[in-house]
Amino acid sequence: CLMLNSEHDNSIEMWQKYYSSKRGTPIFEKIIHFARKTYFGGAFMKTVIKLGGKAQSYLETGVGTGQTLERLQIATNARCVGIEKTPEAQKLGKEHAVHCEIILGDALALPFPPKQFDISYSLGLFEHFSLEEQKQFLSEQARVTKNKVLVEVPFKSPHMITIMWFNRNIRGLRGVWAD
């Protein structure tokens, strides 16, 4: 099922601003980093292995801070590559996923030859594209993947509703992760 979200700003400038901004006090930043590393990185890593299986190579499209990819590399000892479209996110990914290759690139025109990776996956990225872009995204994922393509899309779970409420009402955010 393809999801249409054409009202969302998916520009490089928006994502550069998102990854450049501080999200509160240094203590709050440390709490967020700890949660990403221990809970989200670990939970998503286990899900990728459960659904995709252990493999020799993984590609994470929209790698962000690289928490899941780093955990996946440590758990599997596989070649792990992440791709990000903004320099700030690529920088963060390199800082947090030190055993992985984090490159700058476009999810709609992946810079890899066909069937380069055993498993490719994305976590909370797909919904940021228009319907036409979603088709191109899936086509590119399929092109560079030998075995399985995994796409995780957030939904209105209690977990996501809580994150959105907190970001909107406590942190005063609007846009990504708030509306």
Side-chain angles (χ1 to χ4, degrees):
C1 168
L2 298 177
M3 297 177 62
L4 178 60
N5 187 355
S6 59
E7 297 176 21
H8 180 70
D9 180 5
N10 195 27
S11 68
I12 290 175
E13 296 77 18
M14 189 283 300
W15 285 109
Q16 186 71 6
K17 182 179 175 186
Y18 174 80
Y19 282 108
S20 298
S21 70
K22 296 297 177 196
R23 292 163 183 80
T25 66
I27 293 267
F28 183 77
E29 287 290 316
K30 287 180 182 180
I31 291 168
I32 294 297
H33 174 70
F34 179 77
R36 282 185 181 139
K37 183 176 181 179
T38 58
Y39 175 72
F40 294 110
F44 288 138
M45 176 269 301
K46 290 175 185 172
T47 300
V48 169
I49 292 173
K50 180 181 177 183
L51 297 176
K54 286 199 174 183
Q56 296 298 308
S57 60
Y58 295 89
L59 170 66
E60 181 176 353
T61 305
V63 70
T65 60
Q67 305 292 348
T68 300
L69 194 63
E70 177 72 0
R71 297 286 293 268
L72 187 60
Q73 198 287 323
I74 292 168
T76 65
N77 203 29
R79 175 180 178 232
C80 290
V81 177
I83 187 164
E84 241 328 315
K85 74 189 236 176
T86 66
E88 189 63 30
Q90 180 195 26
K91 177 182 156 202
L92 290 170
K94 285 183 174 185
E95 288 173 10
H96 298 295
V98 297
H99 299 99
C100 306
E101 181 183 354
I102 309 297
I103 64 170
L104 198 58
D106 184 353
L108 304 180
L110 293 170
F112 306 111
K115 308 302 179 204
Q116 180 75 26
F117 300 95
D118 295 325
I119 308 290
S120 66
Y121 68 94
S122 66
L123 305 168
L125 177 68
F126 189 70
E127 68 277 8
H128 295 288
F129 294 108
S130 70
L131 183 59
E132 285 305 311
E133 290 170 328
Q134 288 175 349
K135 291 175 185 176
Q136 180 64 30
F137 177 87
L138 292 174
S139 175
E140 279 297 284
Q141 295 295 300
R143 182 183 67 77
V144 302
T145 306
K146 293 180 208 169
N147 300 329
K148 291 184 182 177
V149 174
L150 307 172
V151 178
E152 183 272 339
V153 180
F155 56 94
K156 293 191 177 193
S157 66
H159 170 82
M160 285 305 298
I161 291 168
T162 302
I163 289 173
M164 302 291 263
W165 181 90
F166 181 82
N167 284 341
R168 187 173 46 257
N169 295 298
I170 303 300
R171 297 179 60 207
L173 298 178
R174 295 291 177 262
V176 176
W177 293 106
D179 295 324

